[in-house]
Every structure is written in C-alpha cells, then in structure tokens.
Amino acid sequence: MNIHYEPVRFLLVGGSVFIIDMVIFIMLYQWEAMSTFKARLMAFLVATILTWMGNRYFTFRHRTQIDRGFQFTIALVISCFAAGINLAVFYVLNAFLPGTITFASLALSIGVLTGLAVNWCGSTWIIYRHIKQ
C-alpha cells in the first residue's frame, strides 16, 4: 500500500460521508422540521461514526492499528474538537446568512471543510500515526 494514496482515500471517505451527512441534515431540517442546529448535530453524530470506520478500514488500513476501542475514543475526541470548529463556523455563518435551506447548506459545507482540515491532521499525526515498516 502506497502512503501517497492516503489523502485520496481520506477525501473519498470524507466525501462519501459528507453526502450522507448532508442528506440526513436536509431530511431532519426539512422533513422533520428540526432546528438547523439540532439537525446538524444529529447528522454529525452519524457522520463521525462512519468516518472513523471508513478511515480505519479503508484509508489507513495498511497502518499498524491500535486497540479498536481506544482508537475510537481518540478519534471521537479529535472529531469533537473538529466538530467544535465545524459547528462554530456553521453557527456564525448561519447567524448572518438568510434563513433558507440553500444558505444553511452553504454554512454546513464551509463548516465541514474547516473540520476536514482538523480531522486530516488529527488522523495522520495522532489516530493512525503508526506506519508499518
């Protein structure tokens, strides 16, 4: 396995989960009439679990894996940190943009991209740092 493909695999996992994240958000916001913040939080929880699974079993599968429970805990902490940044960006943008699904989705997208950068750094340097020699 070539380590140079990790960014591509990371983006494939993230992009796939982003689509699921967005669909869940829109369903909860529009069809269930949840507040944008509550719908975002629920969608994020699902996305966090799916992202960890995708990265463990696809993106970084060639790296030495530590205990699954411990690794998930570390991934959850980093995801929550990234989520804090993600949700802060979402909240600030949502507060200043018109209250439509289009602008809420734009705010969600920009928040996700900021969280992506934090998650990449955390995944590469902390969660999956053990590279097989």
Side-chain angles (χ1 to χ4, degrees):
M1 175 61 58
N2 192 330
I3 195 167
H4 300 293
Y5 292 113
E6 285 181 353
V8 173
R9 290 176 181 269
F10 188 82
L11 290 173
L12 284 172
V13 169
S16 300
V17 173
F18 172 76
I19 292 167
I20 295 166
D21 190 357
M22 182 68 84
V23 167
I24 292 171
F25 170 73
I26 290 170
M27 286 174 38
L28 294 174
Y29 178 69
Q30 274 194 301
W31 299 346
E32 298 299 323
M34 279 187 184
S35 69
T36 54
F37 192 78
K38 189 173 182 180
R40 182 68 198 103
L41 186 59
M42 298 298 289
F44 170 79
L45 293 174
V46 173
T48 299
I49 294 166
L50 293 175
T51 299
W52 172 73
M53 290 172 61
N55 285 329
R56 179 178 173 90
Y57 297 109
F58 179 66
T59 305
F60 300 106
R61 70 175 182 239
H62 61 283
R63 292 188 178 199
T64 302
Q65 298 291 333
I66 60 176
D67 175 73
R68 190 178 7 218
F70 183 65
Q71 187 182 57
F72 179 74
T73 301
I74 294 169
L76 186 59
V77 169
I78 289 172
S79 289
C80 286
F81 178 70
I85 294 169
N86 178 334
L87 293 174
V89 169
F90 172 76
Y91 179 78
V92 168
L93 290 175
N94 203 48
F96 292 103
L97 295 173
T100 67
I101 189 64
T102 301
F103 285 108
S105 297
L106 177 64
L108 183 150
S109 300
I110 295 170
V112 165
L113 289 174
T114 59
L116 174 73
V118 173
N119 276 316
W120 169 254
C121 293
S123 293
T124 312
W125 299 329
I126 299 170
I127 304 169
Y128 307 101
R129 72 178 179 269
H130 303 95
I131 300 175
K132 289 181 184 176
Q133 298 298 328

